[in-house]
Amino acid sequence: MANKLLATIDIGSMSCIMLIAAFEDAPATPAPAPASAENAETEAAPATEPRKILVPKLQKIKICKLGEDIYEHGRITEKKIQELVDVMTSFRMDLHALGADIQAVAMTEAMRRAENQEEVIDAVEKALWFRPRIISGEEEGKLTYRSVKEWHGEGIVTIDIGGGSTELSNGETTFSIPVGALKMFKAMGPIPGPEYKKFVKETFKEVSFKGMTKKPVYLIGGTGTALAMVFLDKQKFDYKAIEGLEMSIADLDAVTTRISNLSKELRAMLPGLENGRSDVIICGLFWLKSLLEKLRVERFFISTAGIRFGLLYPPEPEPEAKPKAKRTPPWLKKKAEEENSAEESDDQ
């Protein structure tokens, strides 16, 4: 029996991404050999249920740039709503043709800031036959971390550079920074100038990376995918080639320089930079390097996972809150010591 096809859609500030995937049995791993032939029967490994992994079957990306309207108007214009409706209608037709069951539709930073949220949500629901929901930056970061953790394990840090925000998570701490590639492009143009140094300094004033430094870093999102495709010179998106790709900051610098030295027209011809991503990619790469320097790592990995994958996993139980130790104010502590001292004197 074929595995059931499940679908999610991520409606971001820069792009809309549809995922169709299925849970499949992970490749079997051989049981450890017994210590000796004599006790082979008694030491045989117990049978276990095969682990299920999420395998993508189809992914489609459409550039929508909802964030442009937010920065210019504070709301999503009628023109952009119609473009979004057209994209959602095409997604729905793909879903129905393949018999995939849609599980969730998430909207992120652009919709978190839009003045006309309900209008856009209603339009998407009418086109898609499924009601989307706006998720917080923290939830976005947690879903991203979960999606990467399922493939690459714990003890990592995830960075999701979107069009309007960036989410970081180590599984215990998750936060969102209101900085993204499209937002930077609107403020600084395609190539950041001298003002970038001051921008980064001001941005990091309120951000703490405690507990996240010197750990394996996984970059996800359009910036990461485009970086990998240019680095590998892949003309078409290939998640098997990109997933887990390891790069160094020197590699990042080389790609940034290569892209920056091209004209706007030639830049748009590079793999992964079509449909307007060539406008924002350099800003995204500048921002990535700043984050990596703050995380104090020289190398990082690319992952094609993201919130669209995280939405398909069953929710994990929330960790139990540790009871906070009661702190005695110094004046009360001193008073108690004096009273104890007085009692000891009376006893003597």
Side-chain angles (χ1 to χ4, degrees):
M1 182 179 176
N3 292 308
K4 186 177 181 181
L5 293 177
L6 306 172
T8 59
I9 296 174
D10 169 14
I11 300 176
S13 300
M14 181 71 185
S15 60
C16 300
I17 309 176
M18 177 185 70
L19 166 70
I20 297 178
F23 282 98
E24 297 181 356
D25 293 341
T29 54
S36 66
E38 295 178 358
N39 56 3
E41 292 184 4
T42 57
E43 292 188 10
T48 58
E49 289 292 325
R51 188 173 74 91
K52 294 287 185 180
I53 59 172
L54 192 57
V55 179
K57 301 297 181 180
L58 175 67
Q59 299 189 72
K60 282 198 171 182
I61 303 174
K62 298 287 187 181
I63 302 297
C64 55
K65 293 188 178 180
L66 297 182
E68 286 187 338
D69 276 2
I70 298 302
Y71 308 133
E72 294 174 11
H73 311 289
R75 65 196 312 276
I76 309 299
T77 61
E78 290 296 327
K79 181 181 178 182
K80 283 290 184 186
I81 291 176
Q82 186 56 54
E83 290 178 7
L84 184 59
V85 165
D86 292 342
V87 170
M88 293 301 112
T89 301
S90 70
F91 282 176
R92 172 173 55 79
M93 294 173 68
D94 289 331
L95 295 173
H96 287 188
L98 295 171
D101 289 338
I102 190 163
Q103 303 295 302
V105 179
M107 309 174 102
T108 56
E109 179 66 9
M111 286 302 300
R112 287 195 284 264
R113 299 179 56 194
E115 296 173 356
N116 57 333
Q117 294 176 349
E118 287 302 314
E119 180 185 0
V120 183
I121 289 173
D122 290 342
V124 169
E125 181 181 21
K126 187 175 180 181
L128 199 55
W129 304 356
F130 191 96
R131 192 164 183 83
R133 67 183 180 93
I134 300 172
I135 62 174
S136 67
E138 183 177 0
E139 184 179 1
E140 184 177 356
K142 287 180 178 179
L143 288 169
T144 296
Y145 178 85
R146 175 73 184 277
S147 69
V148 179
K149 183 194 79 170
E150 291 291 334
W151 284 352
H152 298 286
E154 298 182 347
I156 62 174
V157 172
T158 55
I159 302 176
D160 180 3
I161 299 178
S165 65
T166 298
E167 284 69 41
L168 290 93
S169 179
N170 64 358
E172 297 180 0
T173 303
T174 301
F175 58 87
S176 179
I177 305 173
V179 174
L182 180 59
K183 188 173 183 178
M184 288 175 61
F185 168 72
K186 286 295 178 183
M188 304 179 193
I191 303 179
E195 75 277 13
Y196 178 72
K197 189 174 182 180
K198 181 180 179 182
F199 163 79
V200 169
K201 185 177 180 181
E202 291 296 319
T203 301
F204 285 151
K205 271 185 179 180
E206 305 298 324
V207 181
S208 170
F209 293 91
K210 185 178 180 181
M212 293 190 176
T213 57
K214 297 184 177 181
K215 291 186 177 182
V217 172
Y218 282 82
L219 170 67
I220 77 107
T223 297
T225 300
L227 169 62
M229 290 179 69
V230 174
F231 180 68
L232 296 173
D233 198 24
K234 284 282 182 183
Q235 297 301 318
K236 291 186 178 180
F237 174 78
D238 180 356
Y239 91 91
K240 290 182 179 179
I242 295 173
E243 188 61 42
L245 173 68
E246 184 176 4
M247 295 182 65
S248 66
I249 287 185
D251 295 329
L252 171 61
D253 287 340
V255 173
T256 304
T257 300
R258 176 188 170 191
I259 297 174
S260 300
N261 287 339
L262 295 175
S263 66
K264 179 180 179 180
E265 292 74 21
L266 290 176
R267 198 182 306 148
M269 296 174 66
L270 289 175
L273 301 187
E274 65 284 347
N275 298 326
R277 197 174 291 281
S278 60
D279 292 338
V280 306
I281 184 63
I282 299 172
C283 288
L285 298 181
F286 267 67
W287 177 230
L288 169 61
K289 184 176 180 180
S290 298
L291 291 168
L292 294 173
E293 289 174 343
K294 275 292 182 180
L295 293 171
R296 298 165 67 187
V297 294
E298 290 294 327
R299 306 190 69 83
F300 61 100
F301 301 89
I302 306 289
S303 177
T304 61
I307 63 174
R308 61 193 182 281
F309 287 87
L311 289 165
L312 288 176
Y313 290 109
E316 291 183 313
E318 290 290 332
E320 293 185 9
K322 295 180 181 180
K324 292 183 179 180
K326 294 182 178 180
R327 297 183 63 183
T328 305
W331 61 270
L332 190 58
K333 187 176 180 180
K334 184 176 181 181
K335 182 179 179 182
E337 291 173 351
E338 290 174 349
E339 290 177 351
N340 290 336
S341 178
E343 289 177 1
E344 290 175 0
S345 300
D346 291 342
D347 292 341
Q348 293 175 357

